[in-house]
Amino acid sequence: MDKEEKSRQMVKSIKMLESVYKTTTSAAQRSRVKKDVETLRARLKELYPEANIKELEEAIYSDMLTLKSNGTGIDEDLEFLRGIEVVEYSPYKDDAEINTAASILKHFEERIWGVITDQHTKLDFSNSGERDTLYRKLDQCDRALKMFLQTVEDIDKAKSNDYASQLQMMRVKQGRVFQMELNEFLKKARDFVVNLVSDAEFGGTMILNPDDPIAYAEYETYRMFENVKVIDALRFMKNFLEETQKVIRMPDLGKMNK
């Protein structure tokens, strides 16, 4: 990992920990998070000894939030979702919400969801089973999105107006099915993670390794929670999932029946 990528990973961790600091009610947790942030800033200083670290940190974070040319972004008032690039999966204007939902799903799968795997988070038997159920629901979301995207692609290839019209109706229905599947998954995932975090904060044993630092395997591309404790990463996931409820809404079922 080069110097710039290391600094970006550090700033991501700092911002994540700052979010945890704002949301935790535990004085001990706040003290430890503050110490972890100071450690990360010291490591950042080692990389850039001549820089003003606070200014450097904000510059890196601002650069991370810069949207690619084909993205429209997420509401900047949202602390955990802002900066996600909204990709134009479908060129149709009335699919804007689906584009946002699909972009959030992609970001969540690539950068956040992995922390709940058994590789990082050890759960008791019953919660391991519930986690497996969530994996299946996430697969359903992916399949629903894949079907929608295939139909969007087929519309461009349609050789007759009648067939294109049929595909357009399929597009609308499949897009709404994807939204419903995703909405259900995110709500269930939120409830699951909320229970895990609450249990850990009250000394429970649903999470068997809440204080273990997360270490990624070499093959893992995104390392958003490198060296962050499991419980802190799950707190971030909880807040992220709660914010998705403000963005991803249930689809207009009336459109599905047209």
Side-chain angles (χ1 to χ4, degrees):
M1 188 183 301
D2 61 23
K3 183 176 176 179
E4 289 186 3
E5 181 59 25
K6 283 181 180 178
S7 65
R8 282 194 291 268
Q9 293 295 337
M10 288 180 195
V11 170
K12 283 180 183 179
S13 295
I14 288 170
K15 294 301 180 183
M16 185 274 291
L17 287 168
E18 287 181 335
S19 297
V20 171
Y21 185 87
K22 293 176 183 177
T23 56
T24 184
T25 58
S26 166
Q29 184 70 21
R30 288 168 69 90
S31 176
R32 188 184 60 72
V33 167
K34 184 178 180 181
K35 183 177 180 180
D36 289 345
V37 168
E38 290 172 351
T39 299
L40 284 166
R41 284 183 174 143
R43 290 171 57 195
L44 197 58
K45 184 69 173 177
E46 290 175 4
L47 289 178
Y48 299 94
E50 303 300 323
N52 178 306
I53 291 303
K54 192 62 181 175
E55 291 179 1
L56 174 66
E57 181 184 320
E58 292 306 315
I60 292 172
Y61 188 58
S62 177
D63 182 63
M64 286 160 51
L65 293 180
T66 300
L67 301 174
K68 294 181 181 179
S69 59
N70 64 339
T72 57
I74 300 288
D75 186 349
E76 287 296 311
D77 290 335
L78 297 176
E79 183 174 356
F80 296 88
L81 269 63
R82 67 184 179 189
I84 293 178
E85 178 198 359
V86 177
V87 177
E88 189 183 81
Y89 289 97
S90 168
Y92 299 99
K93 186 176 180 180
D94 55 351
D95 286 339
E97 289 186 359
I98 297 174
N99 288 336
T100 298
S103 298
I104 289 173
L105 172 61
K106 180 181 178 182
H107 180 93
F108 180 72
E109 281 192 287
E110 289 181 345
R111 302 168 188 266
I112 300 173
W113 178 243
V115 77
I116 201 71
T117 63
D118 185 61
Q119 176 186 343
H120 300 303
T121 302
K122 308 298 181 183
L123 300 177
D124 64 9
F125 180 77
S126 62
N127 283 287
S128 292
E130 190 168 348
R131 174 172 56 191
D132 291 342
T133 298
L134 285 173
Y135 275 124
R136 291 191 288 273
K137 289 188 177 299
L138 183 57
D139 285 342
Q140 290 174 358
C141 293
D142 287 330
R143 286 197 297 272
L145 177 60
K146 185 176 181 180
M147 290 178 64
F148 168 77
L149 296 178
Q150 183 62 58
T151 299
V152 170
E153 184 178 335
D154 290 344
I155 290 171
D156 285 338
K157 300 176 182 177
K159 295 182 179 179
S160 72
N161 290 335
D162 287 344
Y163 184 46
S165 295
Q166 292 176 21
L167 289 173
Q168 290 287 11
M169 289 188 287
M170 284 178 59
R171 172 184 66 82
V172 171
K173 291 185 177 181
Q174 289 172 348
R176 301 305 182 258
V177 167
F178 163 65
Q179 285 179 286
M180 287 193 295
E181 293 281 6
L182 181 58
N183 189 276
E184 181 183 1
F185 164 75
L186 292 172
K187 285 183 177 179
K188 289 184 179 298
R190 177 200 61 190
D191 292 345
F192 178 62
V193 176
V194 165
N195 286 338
L196 292 180
V197 171
S198 297
D199 179 75
E201 290 178 340
F202 284 96
T205 57
M206 288 181 179
I207 305 173
L208 305 179
N209 63 332
D211 295 322
D212 284 359
I214 293 170
Y216 290 97
E218 285 192 12
Y219 63 82
E220 294 181 273
T221 303
Y222 297 101
R223 298 165 178 264
M224 186 168 178
F225 302 106
E226 186 80 67
N227 295 321
V228 173
K229 291 189 177 183
V230 168
I231 185 61
D232 289 336
L234 292 180
R235 284 192 181 100
F236 184 95
M237 183 188 290
K238 175 180 78 72
N239 291 323
F240 183 96
L241 288 167
E242 286 176 344
E243 281 196 352
T244 65
Q245 302 305 297
K246 301 175 183 178
V247 177
I248 299 176
R249 302 176 180 85
M250 285 294 289
D252 181 354
L253 298 181
K255 290 184 178 180
M256 291 184 64
N257 297 320
K258 289 181 180 180

